[in-house]
């Protein structure tokens, strides 16, 4: 359907089996791939954490996280099974400023310097289906910003991975109470 996009958040190796591996990550990737093959959504947009080695969110700089998704590393790559569906123009990189933490895909830019919101509006998209890693951080923040911008948002429950099971559950409850459709 022309007015609906799939947004895949941070299905990157460091969140799957790397320095910040999340619970249910392998299952989230497999279920996302199955969804793409069955439903053939178009367009598919990818949000990607993409940090310099000295990012302020890393423990060595006083942040809460181990180094992850560093430019040019395997950990910053989209999972090999999903990579064929990624288009550079529809990939949005967040966290590139070493001084700024960015959880929401709305803060990312594609290689042309366009935001996720700008591209969705240019494509006349008003409904989005969201999946990704981690539910309680980047998926939660991206969903919230999409809602604030007036998009109708659905989340694929079986296509999520998370840092903490309780945080995952709480994030799902919060999103549902704000109007996100859980499917």
């Amino acid at each position: 359907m022309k007015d609906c996009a799939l947004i895949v958040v941070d299905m990157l190796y460091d969140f799957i089996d790397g320095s910040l591996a999340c619970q249910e990550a392998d299952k989230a990737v497999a279920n996302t791939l199955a969804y793409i093959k069955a439903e053939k959504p178009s367009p598919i947009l990818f949000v990607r954490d993409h940090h310099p080695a000295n990012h302020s969110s890393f423990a060595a700089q006083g942040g809460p996280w181990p180094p992850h998704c560093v430019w040019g590393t395997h950990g910053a790559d989209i999972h090999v099974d999903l990579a064929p569906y990624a288009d550079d123009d529809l990939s949005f990189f967040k966290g590139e400023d070493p001084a700024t933490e960015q959880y929401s895909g709305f803060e990312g830019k594609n290689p042309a310097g366009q935001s996720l919101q700008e591209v969705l509006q240019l494509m006349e998209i008003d409904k989005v289906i969201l999946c990704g890693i981690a539910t309680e951080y980047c998926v939660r923040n991206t969903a919230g910003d999409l809602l604030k911008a007036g998009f109708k948002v659905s989340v694929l429950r079986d296509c999520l991975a998370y840092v903490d099971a309780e945080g995952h559950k709480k994030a799902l409850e919060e999103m549902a109470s704000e109007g996100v459709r859980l499917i």
Side-chain angles (χ1 to χ4, degrees):
M1 96 181 59
K2 180 185 184 291
D3 62 346
C4 186
L6 176 65
I7 300 173
V8 180
V9 178
D10 289 341
M11 288 211 176
L12 310 171
Y13 281 107
D14 272 342
F15 297 124
I16 297 165
D17 60 10
S19 62
L20 264 174
C22 290
Q23 297 177 47
E24 304 293 334
D26 288 332
K27 180 179 167 189
V29 170
N31 288 345
T32 299
L33 184 61
Y35 177 84
I36 290 170
K37 287 180 176 181
E39 300 298 325
K40 299 181 180 22
S42 180
I44 303 173
L45 298 89
F46 282 80
V47 171
R48 298 177 63 179
D49 224 20
H50 201 236
H51 299 305
N54 65 340
H55 197 268
S56 62
S57 71
F58 297 166
Q61 278 69 249
W65 307 113
H68 61 279
C69 304
V70 174
W71 301 340
T73 67
H74 173 70
D77 291 341
I78 295 171
H79 190 281
V80 67
D81 293 340
L82 297 173
Y85 301 97
D87 179 317
D88 284 346
D89 294 335
L90 299 179
S91 292
F92 300 85
F93 298 89
K94 60 186 175 61
E96 292 188 322
D97 177 351
T100 307
E101 178 65 272
Q102 295 179 316
Y103 291 122
S104 174
F106 253 46
E107 298 171 292
K109 300 280 185 193
N110 69 5
Q114 298 166 305
S115 71
L116 181 62
Q117 181 175 1
E118 288 173 300
V119 170
L120 289 170
Q121 289 172 335
L122 284 169
M123 298 175 91
E124 300 179 358
I125 303 287
D126 64 359
K127 293 188 277 297
V128 297
I129 298 172
L130 202 57
C131 62
I133 306 171
T135 309
E136 64 272 52
Y137 292 98
C138 298
V139 173
R140 169 80 180 95
N141 282 274
T142 301
D145 284 345
L146 285 161
L147 284 172
K148 287 179 206 160
F151 293 91
K152 293 176 184 84
V153 182
S154 298
V155 170
L156 297 171
R157 294 176 75 119
D158 291 339
C159 299
L160 299 172
Y162 43 88
V163 174
D164 171 76
E166 281 303 310
H168 167 74
K169 181 180 173 193
K170 181 180 178 206
L172 288 174
E173 290 168 356
E174 290 171 353
M175 287 188 284
S177 74
E178 294 166 1
V180 171
R181 191 169 140 240
L182 302 176
I183 53 177

